[in-house]
Amino acid sequence: MSAGPAATAPPAISRRFPPVAELATVSLALVVVGGILMASYAPRRPPLGVPTALAVAGAVLLLAGGYLTARARPLAWDRFFLVFRWALLAYVISAGMIAFAFVKDHVRGAPLALVLVLLVIYALDVPLVIAFTVARYSSPAGHA
Amino acid sequence: MTDVGNVQAGAVGTPPVTVRPPQVVPLKGLPIVAAVVAFVIAAIAGNWLWALTFCHVAGGALWTAIDLFVGLVVGPIIARLSLPARAEFAARFMPKMVLLMPTLVLMTLAAGFQLALTLGNLSTASPNHGWLVASYCVVGVMAVIALGVLEPANIAVLFEMRKPEPDGAVIARLMRRFVVTAGVTGVMQVATLIIMTRVATQ
């Protein structure tokens, strides 16, 4: 859906948007399952096949969500970035704390790398869902 | 006609109510959050048994009790309130939840994992191992619901209410999402209580 800056947008509740929040939430669910699988083996070294597949699937869904967000029109981009950057700060701190616990517990090598990948996806998924949910109900600049 | 920050209600004869959340995130609470996070980091870094136990038990008790109370007591009450009353409640309640719940969850889970590792409960030889994996699954489902559905709805409601003319339909839709997901996580906390009391008594 596209509109010129002077056009009047339909009410926020009736505007149609791509399923960005749904994709990011499924991506989040996949990385949570990957994290649970790895944590269930602690303190032993976990098998990495399934968690790796889940991380890849989560990353693909996150990228798809990002791509669809970039194409969403009209979207309140100022509101999106405002919320995204603050949520990102909060969830980077949260992910950093989880990473700290794994490093502290001597997780090293490939398992640590995979945990970090899962945490990066987690730290991007949640801000994306929050920012997109806020922006989809906000009026884009130039619209009523 | 009642309104909450111009939320149209349609009720006749009631005085206008204008409540807008002053901030989406209450900034005064941030130093407390920072102190709690620093305390949890120190507890993990030092493998400080008392502090780990305190963070896990106190954080978990508050998290569980608040989830149960909000999901099973406050949620159904909110669902029966008029839209302006819901909006007024949300304006005062949700900013606090935005800070409180993520902090309690972080405190409980980070300290809990470290505590389980320190006490040997994570070992597959431990009789608690299966219960802990079950608790990961319960927490995982709650985390996805809370982070993917509940928290975005909370924050979107707060942004909507800060508009000069909030859209009552948007607030009603998001609040319905809040009520349903709070109920689901409340029920799941019962599973957490069962699991944790089993772990503590094995």
Side-chain angles (χ1 to χ4, degrees):
Chain A
M1 184 160 46
S2 67
T8 301
I13 199 147
S14 61
R15 270 183 266 153
R16 306 279 300 171
F17 284 95
V20 173
E22 289 82 353
L23 286 172
T25 303
V26 173
S27 169
L28 176 66
L30 293 175
V31 299
V32 166
V33 172
I36 290 171
L37 278 174
M38 295 191 69
S40 67
Y41 281 88
R44 292 174 299 143
R45 185 186 168 93
L48 299 181
V50 177
T52 303
L54 291 168
V56 170
V60 168
L61 291 178
L62 173 63
L63 290 173
Y67 174 73
L68 291 175
T69 302
R71 287 169 52 91
R73 299 286 186 278
L75 191 70
W77 288 106
D78 53 341
R79 192 51 60 84
F80 176 87
F81 285 115
L82 173 74
V83 175
F84 186 83
R85 66 171 179 261
W86 284 109
L88 184 65
L89 175 65
Y91 283 91
V92 163
I93 292 171
S94 164
M97 212 169 137
I98 298 169
F100 164 71
F102 276 89
V103 171
K104 162 85 177 49
D105 294 330
H106 311 293
V107 178
R108 297 285 183 271
L112 180 62
L114 186 53
V115 164
L116 294 178
V117 170
L118 292 169
L119 288 174
V120 168
I121 298 170
Y122 155 81
L124 290 169
D125 270 332
V126 182
L128 178 60
V129 181
I130 295 173
F132 188 82
T133 305
V134 170
R136 80 175 297 288
Y137 291 114
S138 300
S139 300
H143 287 84
Chain B
M1 181 180 291
T2 305
D3 72 68
V4 174
N6 292 340
V7 175
Q8 303 301 309
V12 178
T14 48
V17 180
T18 304
V19 176
R20 293 177 67 194
Q23 290 164 329
V24 173
V25 177
L27 299 180
K28 284 181 184 170
L30 287 178
I32 299 170
V33 173
V36 170
V37 170
F39 183 64
V40 175
I41 290 173
I44 293 172
N47 249 343
W48 184 12
L49 189 61
W50 171 81
L52 291 172
T53 309
F54 175 81
C55 288
H56 185 61
V57 173
L62 287 168
W63 176 16
T64 304
I66 291 171
D67 258 5
L68 280 168
F69 189 71
V70 171
L72 304 181
V73 179
V74 176
I77 292 172
I78 294 174
R80 288 177 182 83
L81 291 177
S82 66
L83 182 58
R86 277 192 227 180
E88 184 167 0
F89 179 83
R92 298 177 197 282
F93 178 72
M94 287 186 169
K96 293 173 178 61
M97 295 295 274
V98 165
L99 274 193
L100 181 64
M101 294 314 285
T103 308
L104 288 178
V105 170
L106 189 68
M107 180 179 168
T108 307
L109 298 185
F113 191 78
Q114 192 66 25
L115 189 62
L117 192 68
T118 305
L119 297 177
N121 286 329
L122 290 183
S123 162
T124 46
S126 165
N128 285 328
H129 180 78
W131 288 106
L132 288 182
V133 174
S135 82
Y136 300 162
C137 297
V138 171
V139 165
V141 173
M142 288 198 296
V144 172
I145 292 171
L147 297 174
V149 185
L150 203 150
E151 192 178 15
N154 273 4
I155 293 174
V157 165
L158 292 171
F159 272 95
E160 187 64 36
M161 293 183 68
R162 287 174 59 81
K163 289 180 182 173
E165 292 186 26
D167 185 336
V170 168
I171 292 174
R173 176 189 280 189
L174 292 168
M175 285 295 288
R176 191 163 55 241
R177 202 198 279 191
F178 171 81
V179 168
V180 171
T181 51
V184 172
T185 54
V187 170
M188 295 201 72
Q189 287 287 10
V190 177
T192 305
L193 286 174
I194 293 169
I195 291 168
M196 288 301 145
T197 47
R198 290 290 309 202
V199 168
T201 52
Q202 293 264 37

